[in-house]
Amino acid sequence: MDFLIWHFLRESVRRNPDKEALVHGEQRLSYRDVARRTGGLATALRKFGVKRGERVGIYLEASVPQVISIFGISQCEGIYVPINALLHPEQVMHIARDCSMKALVTTPAKVHSLVEVIPQIPSLEFLVVCGGGELPDLQLHIYQFDESCAKEPPAVWQEASIEKDLAAILYTSGSTGKPKGVMLSHANVVSGTRIVSTYLGITETERILAVLPFSFDAGMNQLMTAFEKGGTLVLINFTFAREIVQVLLKERITGLAGVPTLWSLLAQPNSTFSKQAMTELRYITNTGGAMPQAVLKVLREVLPTTKIFLMYGLTEAFRSTYLPPEELDYRPTSMGKAIPDTEILVLNDKGEICKPGEPGELVHRGPTVSLGYWNRPKDTARALRPNPLLPPELGDCERVCYSGDLVKTDEEGFLYFIGRRDTMIKSSGFRISPTEVEEVLFQTGKLRGAAVIGVPDDVLGQVVKAFVVARDSVPLDTEGLLAACAEKMPRYMVPKFIEVLPEMPKTSSGKVDYPALRRREGL
Amino acid sequence: MVQAQTVEDRVRDFVLKQFPLARRSGVKPGDKWLETGLLDSLGILDLVHFLEAEFSIHVSDEELSPENFQSLAAVVSFVAAKQAASIR
């Protein structure tokens, strides 16, 4: 019976060991190859001291070791914590400290970038490094990835974990503070995988190109659906949209998931995407924000035989809704309806079900509702609440996920996105907490006030705009402020616009008046 | 030569303004900005929009390659070649 993440791999090996599982550039691995390395890594991690339930981080670019690590950590009953390779040392440190990370899989180059923060992660006991290269002197055990993967697993693999156990922690931002770790159980990921592969109709003939990072739930789902069905996953590191087009053709890709920014890149007027016939491409999916209608129009023209699925999900509930491709003609701006085995409720402030057209909060009920935020019971209680519609006889036996997203339905029950309840910003599929950006601005020591909001952007959905008030009477070097931000944060978090104000607008209770700032921008 | 200098300055000014990280390290002609992560796919897109508007050139998809965009020097010679081609 398959109930843990790595069982997908175990079952696919049993069915067809020689099937191509993983492709990256010139590297091609069968399911047997992947399972052998994964089993070796799991054996090694146990030997190095990883116990059931301990957290192991993965800080790597898209690569074969990244996939091996996800399954290897899962097989040794650890919890894997994927860290976006774009993040800077400060954010990596936050994640590692927050989840008391025991070990980290990374590269020598990244170890160098982390030299200053590693001593500030007391829980960290060892590193596993992929590839050669000189390493700095650290008071830590350092093991080689390839050597670890070559370990011989025991004849019978012992495990005690069940589907209720935690499988992964995905860090994501909300409207305040630093990123929080969303806890996903094996049951969450296994159901999410089965649900999505069902409505996308994924089979073992699928060849999926993974362009979204595995630190993002939709990205991770590319890997899981491919391995559940015994299909092929192709990895890519790209800078130019053309590189994606080349791999789509060369690898005869049948499935591609992206965020609106990616589709905007591919649909650029000078893109080769529009000049090639993508006859093998069976489906594409969009998530992480609304697809701009102009881009959707181009995609539909360029991909007349490809099914286009518009999806919506939030990490806290993994995946929530999708619009069936046959509905695109009738309601191209809709988020669709609930995914299988899931109920989406639209509730007003009184907790009642909204009538068609009435705005309310999207509330998700189903097997992919996560276990909440790691070590943050208050935040968890806010996002995951007892199901208000359950008959009292059932007691408090179920948690549903309050998304913070405002939506409405049409007469036929299709959902439409309206906006956020809070101040969270979403750019290029990334969730950005305004306070995290503000904190970095304040760290420069030059400001008396700082507030950031999201402003609309054609390609990115939203971009960050900062309003700042100088601490001293000397004129502010705004470009210097942005440079300071760029050193501490990935580019998607760095304000694109900055405006100096004489005073920050405040509410009567003395807090920053964000609505006033949005009104200044005509929002 | 004078014109190449101008192109280099204009591109450098744009990159310094648009990519704050570049301000700290400076932009030298040979710096491999794709490898260092200064420019990502969206950064390239911004740069291409700038080049097209600023120098009245059209960048085709075939020209969007690491050879033409890996450094300031590469971009400058790419722009110079495009301008020369359009004059001819």
Side-chain angles (χ1 to χ4, degrees), chain B residues 19-87:
Chain B
F19 304 92
L21 199 55
R23 281 177 63 89
R24 214 41 74 90
S25 50
V27 177
K28 290 181 278 300
D31 287 350
K32 299 272 200 261
W33 54 29
L34 297 178
E35 285 168 30
T36 57
L38 180 67
L39 256 68
D40 55 9
S41 53
L42 292 167
I44 293 284
L45 202 62
D46 287 346
L47 179 60
V48 169
H49 283 317
F50 166 77
L51 297 178
E52 293 191 329
E54 184 81 6
F55 302 109
S56 309
I57 57 174
H58 174 71
V59 182
S60 74
D61 200 54
E62 287 72 23
E63 291 163 335
L64 279 173
S65 66
E67 298 79 66
N68 291 334
F69 284 89
Q70 62 183 344
S71 64
L72 177 59
V75 171
V76 170
S77 52
F78 170 68
V79 171
K82 291 290 284 186
Q83 288 180 322
S86 69
I87 290 164

Side-chain angles (χ1 to χ4, degrees), chain A residues 164-428:
Chain A
K164 297 271 187 194
D165 284 310
L166 210 53
I169 305 178
L170 304 190
Y171 275 81
T172 185
S173 291
S175 56
T176 56
K178 293 193 185 302
K180 300 188 273 276
V182 175
M183 303 187 286
L184 298 174
S185 67
H186 285 275
N188 288 148
V189 180
V190 168
S191 353
T193 304
R194 290 187 176 142
I195 288 170
V196 172
S197 62
T198 299
Y199 71 75
L200 293 180
I202 292 175
T203 68
E204 62 172 0
T205 60
E206 220 69 69
R207 297 179 64 82
I208 297 173
L209 180 61
V211 293
L212 301 177
F214 296 145
S215 53
F216 177 41
D217 63 297
M220 186 168 100
N221 224 358
Q222 306 311 305
L223 170 62
M224 294 300 161
T225 49
F227 275 42
E228 184 223 353
K229 292 291 179 192
T232 302
L233 187 80
V234 180
L235 305 174
I236 183 175
N237 315 85
F238 68 96
T239 307
F240 300 97
R242 198 163 76 107
E243 296 170 90
I244 297 175
V245 176
Q246 284 165 348
V247 175
L248 285 173
L249 294 168
K250 176 169 176 271
E251 294 293 339
R252 306 185 324 278
I253 296 301
T254 61
L256 176 65
V259 292
T261 311
L262 178 88
W263 305 120
S264 298
L265 279 175
L266 286 172
Q268 288 289 309
N270 57 5
S271 167
T272 39
F273 189 62
S274 52
K275 295 168 197 132
Q276 308 278 350
M278 302 276 171
T279 47
E280 310 266 0
L281 193 60
R282 190 177 69 76
Y283 73 86
I284 62 171
T285 68
N286 175 63
T287 189
M291 170 102 82
Q293 290 297 307
V295 174
L296 181 60
K297 191 165 166 282
V298 172
L299 291 177
R300 295 190 69 186
E301 281 164 14
V302 174
L303 304 170
T305 57
T306 302
K307 288 184 179 170
I308 300 177
F309 291 83
L310 304 183
M311 314 194 352
Y312 159 89
L314 68 162
T315 313
E316 287 82 346
F318 209 46
R319 301 277 87 210
S320 293
T321 72
Y322 79 100
L323 183 73
E326 57 273 18
E327 295 289 342
L328 266 185
D329 280 333
Y330 309 108
R331 38 195 132 235
T333 58
S334 169
M335 305 151 60
K337 286 186 178 181
I339 57 175
D341 194 18
T342 294
E343 189 174 5
I344 297 296
L345 310 167
V346 183
L347 301 181
N348 64 22
D349 287 340
K350 292 182 208 145
E352 303 156 345
I353 291 188
C354 292
K355 294 181 210 51
E358 180 190 352
E361 182 167 1
L362 183 146
V363 177
H364 174 123
R365 168 169 192 248
T368 58
V369 171
S370 68
L371 306 187
Y373 303 108
W374 176 265
N375 201 21
R376 288 174 201 265
K378 278 188 194 153
D379 291 319
T380 299
R382 236 187 317 262
L384 306 184
R385 300 181 219 161
N387 181 351
L389 304 177
L390 222 52
E393 292 82 354
L394 272 80
D396 173 20
C397 71
E398 187 192 6
R399 287 284 181 279
V400 292
C401 178
Y402 282 68
S403 66
D405 284 329
L406 290 174
V407 300
K408 63 181 180 187
T409 57
D410 62 19
E411 296 289 337
E412 287 161 85
F414 285 89
L415 293 151
Y416 297 81
F417 185 80
I418 299 173
R420 283 291 299 172
R421 280 190 87 102
D422 57 23
T423 54
M424 187 183 89
I425 300 166
K426 207 157 180 189
S427 184
S428 175

